[in-house]
Amino acid sequence: MGKRIAGKNGWALLLLILVGVVLGGFLGQLAAGNTAFSWLNYGQNFGLTTPVVLDLGIFVLTLGFSINITIASLIGVAIACIIYHFI
């Protein structure tokens, strides 16, 4: 078994990273209209541009996945990791 540090929880780190991504993406969208901070919304999309559809007659399954990584979301993740380190 791996040795765990007392008080550190992997779920808390995951939650903080998700909060960092969401808040960073939100701030990036807000900064898109401002010329001084528009660079925060610069990023790249990864994933499927069109969903994959599996039609089995009586059952139709549609799969799609897309990730939008921006500078603001990366800053949010970094801040979340720093906060986790000091908690």
Side-chain angles (χ1 to χ4, degrees):
M1 277 192 186
K3 190 175 183 180
R4 293 190 55 107
I5 299 172
K8 295 290 183 176
N9 188 353
W11 290 108
L13 177 62
L14 180 65
L15 181 66
L16 279 172
I17 288 175
L18 288 175
V19 168
V21 167
V22 170
L23 287 178
F26 177 70
L27 291 175
Q29 290 292 324
L30 286 177
N34 190 341
T35 56
F37 296 107
S38 63
W39 59 273
L40 286 173
N41 201 31
Y42 178 76
Q44 184 68 37
N45 287 329
F46 297 99
L48 301 171
T49 56
T50 58
V52 177
V53 178
L54 177 62
D55 189 357
L56 300 174
I58 60 170
F59 182 72
V60 178
L61 181 64
T62 305
L63 301 171
F65 184 74
S66 179
I67 296 176
N68 185 19
I69 299 174
T70 63
I71 300 293
S73 64
L74 291 177
I75 292 171
V77 168
I79 291 172
C81 290
I82 291 169
I83 289 171
Y84 179 76
H85 177 72
F86 287 110
I87 290 180

mmCIF file of all heavy atoms in Angstrom, residues 7-34:
data_model
loop_
_atom_site.group_PDB
_atom_site.id
_atom_site.type_symbol
_atom_site.label_atom_id
_atom_site.label_comp_id
_atom_site.label_asym_id
_atom_site.label_seq_id
_atom_site.Cartn_x
_atom_site.Cartn_y
_atom_site.Cartn_z
ATOM 1 N N GLY A 7 -4.339 14.213 6.014
ATOM 2 C CA GLY A 7 -5.028 15.449 5.686
ATOM 3 C C GLY A 7 -5.125 15.731 4.193
ATOM 4 O O GLY A 7 -5.860 16.613 3.799
ATOM 5 N N LYS A 8 -4.391 15.037 3.371
ATOM 6 C CA LYS A 8 -4.448 15.264 1.916
ATOM 7 C C LYS A 8 -5.436 14.273 1.315
ATOM 8 O O LYS A 8 -5.388 13.084 1.579
ATOM 9 C CB LYS A 8 -3.075 15.085 1.268
ATOM 10 C CG LYS A 8 -2.059 16.102 1.713
ATOM 11 C CD LYS A 8 -2.385 17.454 1.164
ATOM 12 C CE LYS A 8 -1.317 18.455 1.559
ATOM 13 N NZ LYS A 8 -1.519 19.749 0.997
ATOM 14 N N ASN A 9 -6.336 14.797 0.490
ATOM 15 C CA ASN A 9 -7.366 13.970 -0.105
ATOM 16 C C ASN A 9 -7.370 14.190 -1.613
ATOM 17 O O ASN A 9 -7.426 15.335 -2.076
ATOM 18 C CB ASN A 9 -8.724 14.335 0.510
ATOM 19 C CG ASN A 9 -9.826 13.413 0.092
ATOM 20 O OD1 ASN A 9 -9.647 12.557 -0.761
ATOM 21 N ND2 ASN A 9 -10.981 13.583 0.689
ATOM 22 N N GLY A 10 -7.314 13.121 -2.373
ATOM 23 C CA GLY A 10 -7.319 13.219 -3.831
ATOM 24 C C GLY A 10 -8.604 13.798 -4.389
ATOM 25 O O GLY A 10 -8.601 14.494 -5.399
ATOM 26 N N TRP A 11 -9.725 13.514 -3.716
ATOM 27 C CA TRP A 11 -11.008 14.056 -4.173
ATOM 28 C C TRP A 11 -11.051 15.568 -4.007
ATOM 29 O O TRP A 11 -11.638 16.273 -4.822
ATOM 30 C CB TRP A 11 -12.159 13.398 -3.424
ATOM 31 C CG TRP A 11 -12.356 11.964 -3.811
ATOM 32 C CD1 TRP A 11 -12.064 10.875 -3.049
ATOM 33 C CD2 TRP A 11 -12.846 11.465 -5.052
ATOM 34 N NE1 TRP A 11 -12.351 9.733 -3.745
ATOM 35 C CE2 TRP A 11 -12.836 10.067 -4.978
ATOM 36 C CE3 TRP A 11 -13.294 12.067 -6.221
ATOM 37 C CZ2 TRP A 11 -13.252 9.260 -6.025
ATOM 38 C CZ3 TRP A 11 -13.707 11.257 -7.277
ATOM 39 C CH2 TRP A 11 -13.692 9.886 -7.166
ATOM 40 N N ALA A 12 -10.433 16.059 -2.947
ATOM 41 C CA ALA A 12 -10.387 17.510 -2.744
ATOM 42 C C ALA A 12 -9.572 18.179 -3.838
ATOM 43 O O ALA A 12 -9.942 19.248 -4.334
ATOM 44 C CB ALA A 12 -9.798 17.827 -1.372
ATOM 45 N N LEU A 13 -8.468 17.550 -4.234
ATOM 46 C CA LEU A 13 -7.660 18.091 -5.327
ATOM 47 C C LEU A 13 -8.445 18.098 -6.631
ATOM 48 O O LEU A 13 -8.437 19.097 -7.360
ATOM 49 C CB LEU A 13 -6.372 17.288 -5.490
ATOM 50 C CG LEU A 13 -5.471 17.700 -6.653
ATOM 51 C CD1 LEU A 13 -4.994 19.126 -6.476
ATOM 52 C CD2 LEU A 13 -4.303 16.741 -6.772
ATOM 53 N N LEU A 14 -9.148 17.021 -6.926
ATOM 54 C CA LEU A 14 -9.956 16.958 -8.140
ATOM 55 C C LEU A 14 -11.039 18.034 -8.137
ATOM 56 O O LEU A 14 -11.258 18.712 -9.143
ATOM 57 C CB LEU A 14 -10.588 15.568 -8.283
ATOM 58 C CG LEU A 14 -11.467 15.360 -9.508
ATOM 59 C CD1 LEU A 14 -10.643 15.455 -10.779
ATOM 60 C CD2 LEU A 14 -12.186 14.040 -9.427
ATOM 61 N N LEU A 15 -11.690 18.212 -6.996
ATOM 62 C CA LEU A 15 -12.727 19.234 -6.885
ATOM 63 C C LEU A 15 -12.144 20.630 -7.073
ATOM 64 O O LEU A 15 -12.710 21.459 -7.793
ATOM 65 C CB LEU A 15 -13.428 19.127 -5.533
ATOM 66 C CG LEU A 15 -14.547 20.134 -5.293
ATOM 67 C CD1 LEU A 15 -15.705 19.869 -6.240
ATOM 68 C CD2 LEU A 15 -15.006 20.078 -3.852
ATOM 69 N N LEU A 16 -10.998 20.903 -6.470
ATOM 70 C CA LEU A 16 -10.360 22.202 -6.631
ATOM 71 C C LEU A 16 -9.938 22.449 -8.076
ATOM 72 O O LEU A 16 -10.068 23.562 -8.588
ATOM 73 C CB LEU A 16 -9.150 22.321 -5.709
ATOM 74 C CG LEU A 16 -9.441 22.671 -4.262
ATOM 75 C CD1 LEU A 16 -8.179 22.576 -3.421
ATOM 76 C CD2 LEU A 16 -10.034 24.058 -4.156
ATOM 77 N N ILE A 17 -9.441 21.424 -8.750
ATOM 78 C CA ILE A 17 -9.044 21.575 -10.159
ATOM 79 C C ILE A 17 -10.261 21.854 -11.025
ATOM 80 O O ILE A 17 -10.224 22.721 -11.907
ATOM 81 C CB ILE A 17 -8.269 20.333 -10.640
ATOM 82 C CG1 ILE A 17 -6.883 20.324 -10.001
ATOM 83 C CG2 ILE A 17 -8.160 20.303 -12.156
ATOM 84 C CD1 ILE A 17 -6.069 19.091 -10.300
ATOM 85 N N LEU A 18 -11.363 21.145 -10.783
ATOM 86 C CA LEU A 18 -12.586 21.396 -11.549
ATOM 87 C C LEU A 18 -13.106 22.810 -11.313
ATOM 88 O O LEU A 18 -13.525 23.488 -12.261
ATOM 89 C CB LEU A 18 -13.662 20.363 -11.202
ATOM 90 C CG LEU A 18 -13.422 18.961 -11.735
ATOM 91 C CD1 LEU A 18 -14.505 18.011 -11.227
ATOM 92 C CD2 LEU A 18 -13.382 18.955 -13.241
ATOM 93 N N VAL A 19 -13.066 23.269 -10.072
ATOM 94 C CA VAL A 19 -13.484 24.637 -9.768
ATOM 95 C C VAL A 19 -12.558 25.630 -10.466
ATOM 96 O O VAL A 19 -13.010 26.639 -11.023
ATOM 97 C CB VAL A 19 -13.526 24.876 -8.242
ATOM 98 C CG1 VAL A 19 -13.661 26.341 -7.906
ATOM 99 C CG2 VAL A 19 -14.660 24.080 -7.626
ATOM 100 N N GLY A 20 -11.264 25.356 -10.482
ATOM 101 C CA GLY A 20 -10.306 26.222 -11.160
ATOM 102 C C GLY A 20 -10.546 26.302 -12.657
ATOM 103 O O GLY A 20 -10.466 27.375 -13.256
ATOM 104 N N VAL A 21 -10.869 25.163 -13.276
ATOM 105 C CA VAL A 21 -11.150 25.140 -14.714
ATOM 106 C C VAL A 21 -12.414 25.937 -15.024
ATOM 107 O O VAL A 21 -12.451 26.738 -15.969
ATOM 108 C CB VAL A 21 -11.283 23.683 -15.222
ATOM 109 C CG1 VAL A 21 -11.870 23.636 -16.604
ATOM 110 C CG2 VAL A 21 -9.937 22.993 -15.202
ATOM 111 N N VAL A 22 -13.465 25.723 -14.235
ATOM 112 C CA VAL A 22 -14.736 26.412 -14.483
ATOM 113 C C VAL A 22 -14.593 27.920 -14.276
ATOM 114 O O VAL A 22 -15.007 28.712 -15.132
ATOM 115 C CB VAL A 22 -15.856 25.828 -13.587
ATOM 116 C CG1 VAL A 22 -17.098 26.682 -13.647
ATOM 117 C CG2 VAL A 22 -16.170 24.407 -14.012
ATOM 118 N N LEU A 23 -14.003 28.322 -13.144
ATOM 119 C CA LEU A 23 -13.840 29.750 -12.888
ATOM 120 C C LEU A 23 -12.880 30.403 -13.878
ATOM 121 O O LEU A 23 -13.103 31.526 -14.325
ATOM 122 C CB LEU A 23 -13.358 29.982 -11.455
ATOM 123 C CG LEU A 23 -14.386 29.745 -10.359
ATOM 124 C CD1 LEU A 23 -13.771 29.955 -8.981
ATOM 125 C CD2 LEU A 23 -15.592 30.630 -10.550
ATOM 126 N N GLY A 24 -11.813 29.689 -14.244
ATOM 127 C CA GLY A 24 -10.889 30.223 -15.234
ATOM 128 C C GLY A 24 -11.545 30.375 -16.595
ATOM 129 O O GLY A 24 -11.353 31.383 -17.284
ATOM 130 N N GLY A 25 -12.348 29.398 -17.000
ATOM 131 C CA GLY A 25 -13.074 29.507 -18.265
ATOM 132 C C GLY A 25 -14.078 30.642 -18.249
ATOM 133 O O GLY A 25 -14.235 31.367 -19.239
ATOM 134 N N PHE A 26 -14.752 30.814 -17.109
ATOM 135 C CA PHE A 26 -15.714 31.908 -16.972
ATOM 136 C C PHE A 26 -15.014 33.264 -17.074
ATOM 137 O O PHE A 26 -15.470 34.162 -17.783
ATOM 138 C CB PHE A 26 -16.454 31.773 -15.638
ATOM 139 C CG PHE A 26 -17.416 32.873 -15.356
ATOM 140 C CD1 PHE A 26 -18.586 32.999 -16.082
ATOM 141 C CD2 PHE A 26 -17.160 33.802 -14.356
ATOM 142 C CE1 PHE A 26 -19.480 34.020 -15.830
ATOM 143 C CE2 PHE A 26 -18.045 34.823 -14.090
ATOM 144 C CZ PHE A 26 -19.206 34.932 -14.838
ATOM 145 N N LEU A 27 -13.893 33.410 -16.367
ATOM 146 C CA LEU A 27 -13.146 34.667 -16.426
ATOM 147 C C LEU A 27 -12.559 34.899 -17.811
ATOM 148 O O LEU A 27 -12.465 36.037 -18.266
ATOM 149 C CB LEU A 27 -12.042 34.678 -15.372
ATOM 150 C CG LEU A 27 -12.518 34.753 -13.931
ATOM 151 C CD1 LEU A 27 -11.343 34.641 -12.964
ATOM 152 C CD2 LEU A 27 -13.293 36.029 -13.684
ATOM 153 N N GLY A 28 -12.175 33.827 -18.510
ATOM 154 C CA GLY A 28 -11.687 33.964 -19.874
ATOM 155 C C GLY A 28 -12.769 34.467 -20.814
ATOM 156 O O GLY A 28 -12.517 35.301 -21.683
ATOM 157 N N GLN A 29 -13.994 33.977 -20.636
ATOM 158 C CA GLN A 29 -15.115 34.453 -21.449
ATOM 159 C C GLN A 29 -15.425 35.916 -21.155
ATOM 160 O O GLN A 29 -15.751 36.681 -22.057
ATOM 161 C CB GLN A 29 -16.360 33.602 -21.205
ATOM 162 C CG GLN A 29 -16.267 32.206 -21.754
ATOM 163 C CD GLN A 29 -16.244 32.194 -23.270
ATOM 164 O OE1 GLN A 29 -16.902 32.997 -23.917
ATOM 165 N NE2 GLN A 29 -15.474 31.283 -23.831
ATOM 166 N N LEU A 30 -15.340 36.311 -19.886
ATOM 167 C CA LEU A 30 -15.566 37.707 -19.529
ATOM 168 C C LEU A 30 -14.477 38.615 -20.108
ATOM 169 O O LEU A 30 -14.747 39.740 -20.515
ATOM 170 C CB LEU A 30 -15.610 37.871 -18.017
ATOM 171 C CG LEU A 30 -16.861 37.383 -17.294
ATOM 172 C CD1 LEU A 30 -16.696 37.553 -15.791
ATOM 173 C CD2 LEU A 30 -18.083 38.117 -17.781
ATOM 174 N N ALA A 31 -13.250 38.121 -20.135
ATOM 175 C CA ALA A 31 -12.128 38.927 -20.614
ATOM 176 C C ALA A 31 -12.075 39.006 -22.133
ATOM 177 O O ALA A 31 -11.332 39.819 -22.681
ATOM 178 C CB ALA A 31 -10.822 38.354 -20.080
ATOM 179 N N ALA A 32 -12.848 38.186 -22.829
ATOM 180 C CA ALA A 32 -12.805 38.166 -24.298
ATOM 181 C C ALA A 32 -13.216 39.500 -24.893
ATOM 182 O O ALA A 32 -12.717 39.907 -25.935
ATOM 183 C CB ALA A 32 -13.686 37.049 -24.841
ATOM 184 N N GLY A 33 -14.117 40.228 -24.248
ATOM 185 C CA GLY A 33 -14.576 41.512 -24.761
ATOM 186 C C GLY A 33 -13.625 42.663 -24.463
ATOM 187 O O GLY A 33 -13.730 43.726 -25.056
ATOM 188 N N ASN A 34 -12.703 42.468 -23.547
ATOM 189 C CA ASN A 34 -11.763 43.505 -23.145
ATOM 190 C C ASN A 34 -10.470 43.342 -23.949
ATOM 191 O O ASN A 34 -9.865 42.278 -23.950
ATOM 192 C CB ASN A 34 -11.487 43.386 -21.648
ATOM 193 C CG ASN A 34 -10.714 44.549 -21.098
ATOM 194 O OD1 ASN A 34 -10.077 45.282 -21.835
ATOM 195 N ND2 ASN A 34 -10.770 44.697 -19.788
#
